[in-house]
Amino acid sequence: MKRIFLIVLDSLGIGSSADAYKFNDVGANTFGHIAEKCFLGEADDIKRQGGLYIPNLIKLGITHAARASSKQKLLGFNDNVHLLGSYGFASEISSGKDTTSGHWELAGVPVLEDWFYFVKKNNSFPEDILNYIVNSNNITGILGNCHASGTEIIQNLGEEHIRTKKPIIYTSADSVLQIACHEIFFGLSNLYKLCQNIRYFLDKKKYKIARVIARPFIGDNQSNFQRTGNRRDFSIKPFSTTVMQKLINEKKGKVIAIGKVSDIYSGVGISKNIKSTGLNELCNQTIQEIKNSTNNTLVFTNLVDFDSNWGHRRDVIGYAKGLEFFDKKLSKIIELVKENDILILTADHGCDPTWNGTDHTRENVPILIYSPNLEKKFLGHRKTFADIGQTIAKYFLLSNMSYGKSMI
């Protein structure tokens, strides 16, 4: 029986990449800076104190991979570790440092051309997009039309949105069009329908925008507005065949997508979509699907909280707690890896909570591979995330991907 369990710790970069200067990210190091803050006692609160305690990730090689990537010491860790698996790190060849680019490249489809970005900080969206949103969706206007933090913009415009029913539309440094609406006063189904209509328009007009993101929130005034777990991403379809499509088409295999994975690929190459939210639920669903999975199955999980809840919000303490919580769940996942199974842990980009601004950071990502049958070794510096997709193709005896080199 052949199974792969691929878990993306969304945003867990391990040191700025060689091309980080293009993104003003030289020196960013998501994992390294969190570990440093923990060691220095600057990530303490009532529920956690001291150095970052992640024994299972360490056994899989996270600290070894981080040192190799950053070529720097990690405060609070030593090298005297009995490794369970192989480790290395990978750089991204895709043009962007966004979720879609990172995940597509992991699946063997790097994005080598630039996405369409909304560059202007204010009055960000072209008139044809704004006119379509208003005229084709029975709304009286829009709010926002700018670059913004998702939490801040609902605090600033949430009350006006409730009064007027005008959707809050904003963007960021990524290729995204985000729409925040109240779940009750605007309606969750209305928000999804609006986003779906905009996705259709963007694709029809050939705007190469990676994602339209529904950002529902609740609350009745500025002091208690909060986003809910009902976010949904309406993504552009992958530009070429992913390794997941090959698994389904060539081996009649199954791809179990957990979290926002299906959204990222616009449902393409997905057999079963499990829309979980919250780190605990995502981990529990992953464990359950591993238990249930059969031959020629890829269980593919994205742990979005590291990025959305702690990376973008520059919450070092929350990120550290999240890593320690996941590490406890990881012990159970490791126990479930049988003789011919492969567990792969990686990330899609960085989001250093100690860095300037609130955007992603251009970083190398870890590659941690565990299988009772595989040789334990240093996997080296992989030149593209697509090495993971090629490794999956090789393992399942699929036709070769166009990019990447197998690590097994």
Side-chain angles (χ1 to χ4, degrees):
M1 185 164 69
K2 288 189 171 184
R3 307 182 301 175
I4 287 183
F5 316 128
L6 174 59
I7 301 176
V8 177
L9 286 77
D10 199 317
S11 84
L12 188 65
I14 53 173
S16 54
S17 58
D19 63 354
Y21 66 93
K22 298 178 182 178
F23 303 84
N24 296 318
D25 286 334
V26 175
N29 189 338
T30 301
F31 179 74
H33 287 151
I34 292 168
E36 179 183 47
K37 292 291 186 183
C38 291
F39 177 79
L40 296 175
E42 297 175 8
D44 292 351
D45 71 358
I46 296 174
K47 295 185 178 180
R48 80 152 312 277
Q49 292 185 343
L52 192 61
Y53 185 69
I54 47 171
N56 294 300
L57 280 166
I58 290 173
K59 289 176 186 176
L60 292 182
I62 185 67
T63 54
H64 284 65
R67 288 191 191 95
S69 169
S70 67
K71 297 178 175 58
Q72 296 175 353
K73 292 183 178 180
L74 283 172
L75 295 176
F77 302 106
N78 60 59
D79 292 320
N80 297 322
V81 177
H82 174 66
L83 293 176
L84 294 178
S86 300
Y87 69 93
F89 65 98
S91 299
E92 187 171 9
I93 61 172
S94 293
S95 60
K97 55 178 181 177
D98 56 280
T99 295
T100 304
S101 297
H103 278 78
W104 285 16
E105 188 168 329
L106 289 172
V109 185
V111 181
L112 302 179
E113 299 177 8
D114 287 337
W115 293 109
F116 184 93
Y117 297 96
F118 302 108
V119 178
K120 293 190 294 183
K121 300 297 182 183
N122 294 294
N123 297 316
S124 302
F125 301 106
E127 284 297 320
D128 62 334
I129 294 178
L130 295 176
N131 289 337
Y132 177 82
I133 291 172
V134 173
N135 297 333
S136 301
N137 292 280
N138 196 30
I139 55 178
T140 59
I142 63 105
L143 303 175
N145 191 14
C146 61
H147 281 233
S149 156
T151 53
E152 291 177 2
I153 201 166
I154 61 172
Q155 289 180 341
N156 295 334
L157 297 176
E159 292 182 5
E160 184 177 357
H161 162 72
I162 291 174
R163 289 196 307 271
T164 64
K165 306 298 187 296
K166 295 178 181 179
I168 303 168
I169 302 180
Y170 63 104
T171 188
S172 70
D174 291 341
S175 177
V176 293
L177 190 157
Q178 305 191 72
I179 305 179
C181 292
H182 199 282
E183 284 199 357
I184 306 301
F185 297 107
F186 190 86
L188 188 59
S189 61
N190 290 332
L191 172 58
Y192 290 162
K193 182 179 179 181
L194 173 60
C195 291
Q196 194 170 38
N197 288 343
I198 295 171
R199 176 78 270 168
Y200 169 79
F201 175 80
L202 296 176
D203 292 345
K204 181 180 179 181
K205 294 295 184 179
K206 300 191 183 304
Y207 276 108
K208 204 158 80 172
I209 295 165
R211 290 177 293 162
V212 177
I213 306 178
R215 293 284 196 176
F217 66 97
I218 57 173
D220 55 19
N221 63 72
Q222 187 181 50
S223 66
N224 62 17
F225 287 139
Q226 58 179 322
R227 297 196 294 197
T228 74
N230 291 320
R231 162 187 170 157
R232 186 172 172 192
D233 294 28
F234 296 80
S235 298
I236 195 170
K237 294 185 185 299
F239 302 146
S240 58
T241 303
T242 67
V243 72
M244 295 93 73
Q245 290 172 270
K246 290 194 176 206
L247 177 59
I248 293 172
N249 295 335
E250 296 178 16
K251 291 292 182 178
K252 293 184 170 51
K254 295 180 181 178
V255 178
I256 312 301
I258 301 174
K260 67 176 187 176
V261 170
S262 182
D263 285 354
I264 293 169
Y265 297 97
S266 194
V268 175
I270 306 300
S271 308
K272 179 181 179 182
N273 177 26
I274 300 174
K275 287 290 292 180
S276 297
T277 58
L279 186 56
N280 182 51
E281 185 179 342
L282 286 165
C283 290
N284 289 341
Q285 287 283 8
T286 300
I287 290 169
Q288 189 59 49
E289 290 304 318
I290 289 173
K291 291 178 179 178
N292 294 341
S293 61
T294 56
N295 189 39
N296 288 332
T297 295
L298 170 64
V299 178
F300 190 170
T301 299
N302 173 282
L303 302 178
V304 67
D305 293 40
F306 292 111
D307 186 47
S308 62
N309 288 353
W310 306 312
H312 283 301
R313 298 183 188 183
R314 298 308 189 236
D315 182 357
V316 174
I317 296 175
Y319 212 125
K321 287 180 179 177
L323 286 172
E324 291 173 342
F325 179 87
F326 171 71
D327 194 83
K328 293 178 182 176
K329 294 289 187 178
L330 183 56
S331 63
K332 180 61 176 176
I333 293 172
I334 292 172
E335 289 176 3
L336 294 172
V337 179
K338 299 185 184 299
E339 187 175 356
N340 292 318
D341 297 337
I342 297 179
L343 170 65
I344 304 175
L345 304 184
T346 190
D348 53 342
H349 50 69
C351 197
D352 188 342
T354 72
W355 205 242
N356 301 319
T358 59
D359 292 328
H360 295 152
T361 42
R362 184 74 162 190
E363 297 183 52
N364 298 325
V365 301
I367 298 179
L368 312 180
I369 297 181
Y370 168 68
S371 175
N373 270 358
L374 290 180
E375 175 190 0
K376 302 175 181 65
K377 62 181 180 179
F378 176 46
L379 300 168
H381 178 191
R382 316 306 299 191
K383 303 304 182 183
T384 167
F385 296 0
D387 285 5
I388 289 179
Q390 196 71 272
T391 299
I392 295 171
K394 179 77 171 180
Y395 171 78
F396 285 119
L397 302 179
L398 308 174
S399 59
N400 287 335
M401 304 300 296
S402 298
Y403 293 89
K405 295 181 180 180
S406 174
M407 294 175 281
I408 59 174

